[in-house]
């Protein structure tokens, strides 16, 4: 009977693992909100770039192409130092500036995000990535000229419904995480615009 009880405890432990991980995440999120969102953003951004490279490699017939280790590292840096903290403070600002009781708050929040934050954040993305790739100001400007407008149009198509849900229905402490999960695929798209 002891092996069966041991197996049941082990199975319960496996089932409890996601609950324990979530509880730990929520505890750390409450204690260190900016750092937690920065770390989550860095990890998921790096994973998005890694997935983009894997997809590119899988699509090509020559699968001997090596993965660029620097890509996930650059995305991790961007996610940790820019995406997590900037998103955290932007959502707080938006909540304070356009509280839910304001008429048309949902639409106003969406317009603020789509028309102000998205273009500025995308511009920052291209400039920082150019710098992290070793480019100079001219390379960054060239990247912005060639990729900014198509990327912004795609951003508006992909992120507008996501951000409508995020800024209106997702609790504020989970907005960065929600956006990061969607961004996993968005960063894969942005990475495909790169080299």
């Amino acid at each position: 009977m002891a092996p069966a009880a041991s197996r049941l405890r082990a199975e319960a432990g496996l089932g409890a693992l996601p609950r324990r991980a979530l509880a730990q995440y929520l505890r750390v999120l409450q204690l260190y909100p900016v750092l937690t969102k920065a770390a989550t953003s860095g990890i998921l951004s790096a994973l998005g770039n890694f997935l983009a490279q894997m997809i590119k490699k899988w699509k090509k017939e020559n699968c001997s192409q090596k993965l660029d280790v620097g890509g996930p590292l650059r995305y991790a840096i961007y996610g940790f130092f820019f995406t997590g903290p900037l998103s955290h403070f932007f959502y707080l600002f938006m909540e304070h500036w356009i509280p839910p009781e304001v008429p048309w708050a949902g639409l106003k929040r969406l317009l603020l995000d789509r028309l102000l934050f998205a273009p500025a954040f995308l511009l920052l993305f291209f400039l920082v990535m150019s710098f992290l790739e070793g480019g100079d100001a001219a390379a960054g400007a060239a990247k912005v000229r060639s990729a900014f407008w198509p990327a912004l149009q795609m951003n508006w198509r992909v992120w507008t419904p996501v951000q409508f849900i995020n800024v209106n229905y997702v609790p504020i402490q989970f907005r960065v995480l929600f956006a990061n999960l969607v961004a996993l695929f968005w960063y894969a798209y942005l990475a495909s615009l790169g080299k």
Side-chain angles (χ1 to χ4, degrees), residues 41 45 78-88 121 176 180 187:
S41 295
S45 297
Y78 185 78
F80 185 84
F81 289 104
F82 296 95
T83 304
L86 289 177
S87 298
H88 168 81
F121 194 71
V176 175
N180 281 333
Y187 281 135

Side-chain angles (χ1 to χ4, degrees), residues 1-20:
M1 183 98 49
S6 173
R7 190 176 70 237
L8 283 174
R9 256 186 263 117
E11 289 172 3
L14 288 177
L17 184 62
R19 285 191 302 275
R20 285 196 314 253

Side-chain angles (χ1 to χ4, degrees), residues 4-76:
S6 173
R7 190 176 70 237
L8 283 174
R9 256 186 263 117
E11 289 172 3
L14 288 177
L17 184 62
R19 285 191 302 275
R20 285 196 314 253
L22 177 62
Q24 184 66 16
Y25 176 80
L26 292 174
R27 188 174 78 66
V28 174
L29 180 64
Q30 188 174 21
L31 292 172
Y32 312 104
V34 178
L35 184 60
T36 303
K37 292 171 187 179
T40 306
S41 295
I43 291 166
L44 291 176
S45 297
L47 184 57
N49 181 269
F50 177 76
L51 288 175
Q53 290 188 52
M54 293 300 292
I55 291 167
K56 268 187 190 176
K57 184 177 178 177
W58 178 69
K59 284 184 175 181
K60 290 186 177 185
E61 291 179 17
N62 180 6
C63 289
S64 64
Q65 178 185 1
K66 292 187 177 188
L67 294 175
D68 171 23
V69 179
L73 180 60
R74 287 188 295 273
Y75 275 73

Side-chain angles (χ1 to χ4, degrees), residues 109-160:
R109 289 176 177 191
L110 184 65
L111 289 173
L112 178 65
D113 178 77
R114 303 290 66 224
L115 299 177
L116 182 68
F117 187 72
F121 194 71
L122 194 58
L123 179 64
L124 180 68
F125 171 83
F126 283 122
L127 294 175
V128 169
M129 280 299 161
S130 178
F131 171 76
L132 291 174
E133 290 169 352
D136 58 4
K143 186 64 173 176
V144 167
R145 277 193 300 278
S146 68
F148 178 78
W149 182 240
L152 183 60
Q153 290 175 316
M154 182 60 80
N155 178 294
W156 286 337
R157 282 192 290 263
V158 171
W159 282 96
T160 299

